[in-house]
Every structure is written in C-alpha cells, then in structure tokens.
Amino acid sequence: IKPMYTGTQEALKNFLSVFGVTAMTYGWTPLILAIPDVVPTVPPRPARNLLTQYGMIPIEDIRAHAMTYVGLPVCAAQAGEIMALVIVKSLDDVPLRKLMTKIETFTVGGRLNGPLMLKVLLKQVTIETRSTVMNLRKQLIELPALMIELNSDVIVFNLKVDDICNHLSNLGQT
C-alpha cells in the first residue's frame, strides 16, 4: 500500500481507505474482517467490520474468529496470512518496529494473523480509552477556535472535523 503508513492518527483515515480497497479486492471483508461476537446477543447482531468498527470489537472476538480458520486448508487461513504480509509491507519503519514488539498478540498457531495484527496496530494508533473520547468531544467543542487557527481555511477545517467524527464513529460513539 502506498504511501507507506507512518503510524500517525492523521494518516490513519487514508491508510484505512486504501487498505479497505485492498480488502475488497482480495475478498477479505466477508472472509476474515467480518467479526462475529463471541458471546451471542439477543437479538443476534450481524458481524462487525473490523475496518469501520475497530473500536467496538474486542481483540478476544477477533482471536476467537481466527481460531475457526487458522491452520485449516481454507481460503480464510490463507487470507489471514496474506493480510498480515500486506500490513507489514505497508508500514513505515517506526510503526513496524512498534508493532513487532507485540508479535505474540497477533500470532495464532505459529502463524501471523492479519485481522489480529490490524487490531493491534489500530490500538497502538488510537488508544481506546474514555479520555480519548473526551478529548475528541473537546475538540468538537473547540471548533470555532480551530477555524480561527486555520485562518478560515474551510477545506482544511472540514478535513479535521471529518477526522474527529470518523474517529468517534470508529470508537462506537456518536
């Protein structure tokens, strides 16, 4: 994936957009990126998309889903490994080194797993805490000051607002 992902919050939206196109091209979304709940809900909830709802999917659910296909002679197993390789090849040096310190977290049965690797990467980039949500909401409250800071550059302002709203949405907030 070009350009290489630098691991910053600012570059995350572009990385996920380009990665989403790659996922659609290779058919990963229905195979390995649609994560079902480990504990069934009533009424049953459809599987969640890791690319768009990563903040609402616990890593345990992703690992449980991976355990259903890793090591088996099925397309999903191959897709999980290829996805991991695509992620590795997409990262700049700094986020790659940081990610590889957590290799045991995204290894299943001795094999790298792309969905788990993606979750770990996203968690490193977007620390999913209550303070993150509060900080994002504070940024929304301070939009008038941002407009002044940007000298009324509406295009840059709208991009920043869009990033804040997308981040909140990915964390399951409205």
mmCIF file of all heavy atoms in Angstrom, residues 5-12 54 95 98 119-128 167:
data_model
loop_
_atom_site.group_PDB
_atom_site.id
_atom_site.type_symbol
_atom_site.label_atom_id
_atom_site.label_comp_id
_atom_site.label_asym_id
_atom_site.label_seq_id
_atom_site.Cartn_x
_atom_site.Cartn_y
_atom_site.Cartn_z
ATOM 1 N N TYR A 5 2.399 3.735 5.506
ATOM 2 C CA TYR A 5 1.692 4.277 6.661
ATOM 3 C C TYR A 5 2.700 4.644 7.746
ATOM 4 O O TYR A 5 3.503 3.819 8.163
ATOM 5 C CB TYR A 5 0.655 3.283 7.174
ATOM 6 C CG TYR A 5 -0.090 3.776 8.382
ATOM 7 C CD1 TYR A 5 -0.739 5.007 8.362
ATOM 8 C CD2 TYR A 5 -0.145 3.029 9.539
ATOM 9 C CE1 TYR A 5 -1.416 5.476 9.464
ATOM 10 C CE2 TYR A 5 -0.832 3.480 10.647
ATOM 11 C CZ TYR A 5 -1.455 4.702 10.610
ATOM 12 O OH TYR A 5 -2.130 5.172 11.709
ATOM 13 N N THR A 6 2.620 5.880 8.221
ATOM 14 C CA THR A 6 3.576 6.413 9.192
ATOM 15 C C THR A 6 3.191 6.129 10.640
ATOM 16 O O THR A 6 3.960 6.413 11.548
ATOM 17 C CB THR A 6 3.711 7.934 9.015
ATOM 18 O OG1 THR A 6 2.413 8.517 9.198
ATOM 19 C CG2 THR A 6 4.268 8.276 7.648
ATOM 20 N N GLY A 7 1.993 5.603 10.851
ATOM 21 C CA GLY A 7 1.565 5.280 12.209
ATOM 22 C C GLY A 7 0.947 6.442 12.957
ATOM 23 O O GLY A 7 0.699 6.334 14.157
ATOM 24 N N THR A 8 0.655 7.541 12.273
ATOM 25 C CA THR A 8 0.057 8.693 12.943
ATOM 26 C C THR A 8 -1.460 8.661 12.829
ATOM 27 O O THR A 8 -2.018 8.072 11.899
ATOM 28 C CB THR A 8 0.567 10.019 12.330
ATOM 29 O OG1 THR A 8 0.129 10.091 10.972
ATOM 30 C CG2 THR A 8 2.077 10.127 12.424
ATOM 31 N N GLN A 9 -2.095 9.318 13.776
ATOM 32 C CA GLN A 9 -3.550 9.424 13.759
ATOM 33 C C GLN A 9 -4.014 10.173 12.505
ATOM 34 O O GLN A 9 -5.021 9.827 11.904
ATOM 35 C CB GLN A 9 -4.028 10.158 15.023
ATOM 36 C CG GLN A 9 -5.526 10.334 15.101
ATOM 37 C CD GLN A 9 -6.277 9.027 15.213
ATOM 38 O OE1 GLN A 9 -5.913 8.166 15.989
ATOM 39 N NE2 GLN A 9 -7.325 8.872 14.439
ATOM 40 N N GLU A 10 -3.231 11.171 12.088
ATOM 41 C CA GLU A 10 -3.591 11.979 10.929
ATOM 42 C C GLU A 10 -3.619 11.154 9.642
ATOM 43 O O GLU A 10 -4.422 11.407 8.752
ATOM 44 C CB GLU A 10 -2.617 13.152 10.759
ATOM 45 C CG GLU A 10 -2.679 14.172 11.885
ATOM 46 C CD GLU A 10 -1.962 13.715 13.158
ATOM 47 O OE1 GLU A 10 -1.004 12.914 13.075
ATOM 48 O OE2 GLU A 10 -2.380 14.141 14.244
ATOM 49 N N ALA A 11 -2.720 10.184 9.514
ATOM 50 C CA ALA A 11 -2.631 9.375 8.297
ATOM 51 C C ALA A 11 -3.517 8.133 8.346
ATOM 52 O O ALA A 11 -3.627 7.408 7.356
ATOM 53 C CB ALA A 11 -1.174 8.959 8.064
ATOM 54 N N LEU A 12 -4.171 7.901 9.476
ATOM 55 C CA LEU A 12 -4.952 6.669 9.653
ATOM 56 C C LEU A 12 -6.120 6.566 8.677
ATOM 57 O O LEU A 12 -6.344 5.502 8.094
ATOM 58 C CB LEU A 12 -5.467 6.576 11.090
ATOM 59 C CG LEU A 12 -6.292 5.330 11.419
ATOM 60 C CD1 LEU A 12 -5.466 4.063 11.199
ATOM 61 C CD2 LEU A 12 -6.799 5.389 12.847
ATOM 62 N N TYR A 54 -13.578 -0.898 14.403
ATOM 63 C CA TYR A 54 -12.481 -1.498 15.172
ATOM 64 C C TYR A 54 -12.515 -1.148 16.654
ATOM 65 O O TYR A 54 -12.084 -1.942 17.475
ATOM 66 C CB TYR A 54 -11.125 -1.137 14.573
ATOM 67 C CG TYR A 54 -10.850 0.328 14.401
ATOM 68 C CD1 TYR A 54 -10.372 1.104 15.446
ATOM 69 C CD2 TYR A 54 -11.061 0.947 13.174
ATOM 70 C CE1 TYR A 54 -10.109 2.453 15.276
ATOM 71 C CE2 TYR A 54 -10.803 2.292 12.997
ATOM 72 C CZ TYR A 54 -10.322 3.041 14.056
ATOM 73 O OH TYR A 54 -10.076 4.372 13.871
ATOM 74 N N PRO A 95 6.325 2.563 12.841
ATOM 75 C CA PRO A 95 5.172 1.763 13.275
ATOM 76 C C PRO A 95 5.416 0.258 13.150
ATOM 77 O O PRO A 95 4.885 -0.520 13.941
ATOM 78 C CB PRO A 95 4.035 2.222 12.365
ATOM 79 C CG PRO A 95 4.672 2.910 11.221
ATOM 80 C CD PRO A 95 5.988 3.432 11.712
ATOM 81 N N LYS A 98 7.365 -0.816 16.239
ATOM 82 C CA LYS A 98 6.450 -0.775 17.387
ATOM 83 C C LYS A 98 5.480 -1.955 17.348
ATOM 84 O O LYS A 98 5.232 -2.610 18.361
ATOM 85 C CB LYS A 98 5.702 0.558 17.375
ATOM 86 C CG LYS A 98 4.883 0.819 18.601
ATOM 87 C CD LYS A 98 4.272 2.217 18.536
ATOM 88 C CE LYS A 98 3.374 2.480 19.714
ATOM 89 N NZ LYS A 98 2.700 3.772 19.641
ATOM 90 N N LYS A 119 -5.809 -5.075 14.360
ATOM 91 C CA LYS A 119 -6.375 -4.600 15.631
ATOM 92 C C LYS A 119 -5.275 -4.060 16.534
ATOM 93 O O LYS A 119 -5.434 -2.994 17.139
ATOM 94 C CB LYS A 119 -7.138 -5.737 16.328
ATOM 95 C CG LYS A 119 -7.690 -5.373 17.690
ATOM 96 C CD LYS A 119 -8.756 -4.310 17.635
ATOM 97 C CE LYS A 119 -9.348 -4.065 19.028
ATOM 98 N NZ LYS A 119 -10.429 -3.105 19.001
ATOM 99 N N VAL A 120 -4.151 -4.767 16.628
ATOM 100 C CA VAL A 120 -3.043 -4.302 17.466
ATOM 101 C C VAL A 120 -2.506 -2.975 16.933
ATOM 102 O O VAL A 120 -2.266 -2.034 17.699
ATOM 103 C CB VAL A 120 -1.928 -5.372 17.547
ATOM 104 C CG1 VAL A 120 -0.683 -4.817 18.227
ATOM 105 C CG2 VAL A 120 -2.434 -6.611 18.290
ATOM 106 N N LEU A 121 -2.339 -2.881 15.626
ATOM 107 C CA LEU A 121 -1.861 -1.638 15.010
ATOM 108 C C LEU A 121 -2.820 -0.486 15.311
ATOM 109 O O LEU A 121 -2.395 0.600 15.728
ATOM 110 C CB LEU A 121 -1.715 -1.822 13.496
ATOM 111 C CG LEU A 121 -1.341 -0.575 12.699
ATOM 112 C CD1 LEU A 121 0.050 -0.091 13.068
ATOM 113 C CD2 LEU A 121 -1.432 -0.866 11.198
ATOM 114 N N LEU A 122 -4.108 -0.720 15.116
ATOM 115 C CA LEU A 122 -5.097 0.329 15.357
ATOM 116 C C LEU A 122 -5.143 0.726 16.825
ATOM 117 O O LEU A 122 -5.324 1.903 17.152
ATOM 118 C CB LEU A 122 -6.476 -0.123 14.879
ATOM 119 C CG LEU A 122 -6.609 -0.293 13.373
ATOM 120 C CD1 LEU A 122 -7.924 -0.963 13.020
ATOM 121 C CD2 LEU A 122 -6.462 1.042 12.661
ATOM 122 N N LYS A 123 -4.957 -0.248 17.700
ATOM 123 C CA LYS A 123 -4.954 0.060 19.132
ATOM 124 C C LYS A 123 -3.750 0.916 19.487
ATOM 125 O O LYS A 123 -3.844 1.812 20.321
ATOM 126 C CB LYS A 123 -4.961 -1.229 19.944
ATOM 127 C CG LYS A 123 -5.272 -1.025 21.389
ATOM 128 C CD LYS A 123 -5.585 -2.323 22.079
ATOM 129 C CE LYS A 123 -6.105 -2.017 23.457
ATOM 130 N NZ LYS A 123 -6.911 -3.067 23.994
ATOM 131 N N GLN A 124 -2.612 0.654 18.850
ATOM 132 C CA GLN A 124 -1.426 1.467 19.109
ATOM 133 C C GLN A 124 -1.625 2.892 18.614
ATOM 134 O O GLN A 124 -1.146 3.837 19.232
ATOM 135 C CB GLN A 124 -0.201 0.851 18.433
ATOM 136 C CG GLN A 124 0.280 -0.412 19.098
ATOM 137 C CD GLN A 124 1.442 -1.070 18.374
ATOM 138 O OE1 GLN A 124 1.663 -0.851 17.192
ATOM 139 N NE2 GLN A 124 2.175 -1.891 19.096
ATOM 140 N N VAL A 125 -2.319 3.042 17.511
ATOM 141 C CA VAL A 125 -2.525 4.372 16.919
ATOM 142 C C VAL A 125 -3.626 5.129 17.655
ATOM 143 O O VAL A 125 -3.491 6.311 17.943
ATOM 144 C CB VAL A 125 -2.863 4.266 15.420
ATOM 145 C CG1 VAL A 125 -3.218 5.624 14.840
ATOM 146 C CG2 VAL A 125 -1.708 3.644 14.665
ATOM 147 N N THR A 126 -4.727 4.467 17.945
ATOM 148 C CA THR A 126 -5.863 5.109 18.611
ATOM 149 C C THR A 126 -6.056 4.448 19.953
ATOM 150 O O THR A 126 -6.723 3.427 20.053
ATOM 151 C CB THR A 126 -7.152 4.961 17.793
ATOM 152 O OG1 THR A 126 -7.457 3.564 17.687
ATOM 153 C CG2 THR A 126 -7.036 5.545 16.418
ATOM 154 N N ILE A 127 -5.502 5.014 20.958
ATOM 155 C CA ILE A 127 -5.634 4.441 22.296
ATOM 156 C C ILE A 127 -7.088 4.576 22.701
ATOM 157 O O ILE A 127 -7.614 5.676 22.852
ATOM 158 C CB ILE A 127 -4.688 5.133 23.286
ATOM 159 C CG1 ILE A 127 -3.262 4.970 22.792
ATOM 160 C CG2 ILE A 127 -4.867 4.590 24.691
ATOM 161 C CD1 ILE A 127 -2.261 5.832 23.476
ATOM 162 N N GLU A 128 -7.738 3.419 22.823
ATOM 163 C CA GLU A 128 -9.185 3.372 23.019
ATOM 164 C C GLU A 128 -9.538 3.526 24.499
ATOM 165 O O GLU A 128 -9.779 2.555 25.194
ATOM 166 C CB GLU A 128 -9.734 2.071 22.462
ATOM 167 C CG GLU A 128 -9.445 1.911 20.992
ATOM 168 C CD GLU A 128 -9.584 0.488 20.518
ATOM 169 O OE1 GLU A 128 -10.140 -0.351 21.241
ATOM 170 O OE2 GLU A 128 -9.126 0.215 19.415
ATOM 171 N N HIS A 167 -13.167 9.217 13.802
ATOM 172 C CA HIS A 167 -12.534 8.575 14.951
ATOM 173 C C HIS A 167 -13.576 8.235 16.015
ATOM 174 O O HIS A 167 -13.594 7.122 16.549
ATOM 175 C CB HIS A 167 -11.447 9.484 15.517
ATOM 176 C CG HIS A 167 -10.528 8.821 16.462
ATOM 177 N ND1 HIS A 167 -9.407 9.406 16.950
ATOM 178 C CD2 HIS A 167 -10.540 7.606 17.058
ATOM 179 C CE1 HIS A 167 -8.779 8.605 17.767
ATOM 180 N NE2 HIS A 167 -9.453 7.502 17.853
#
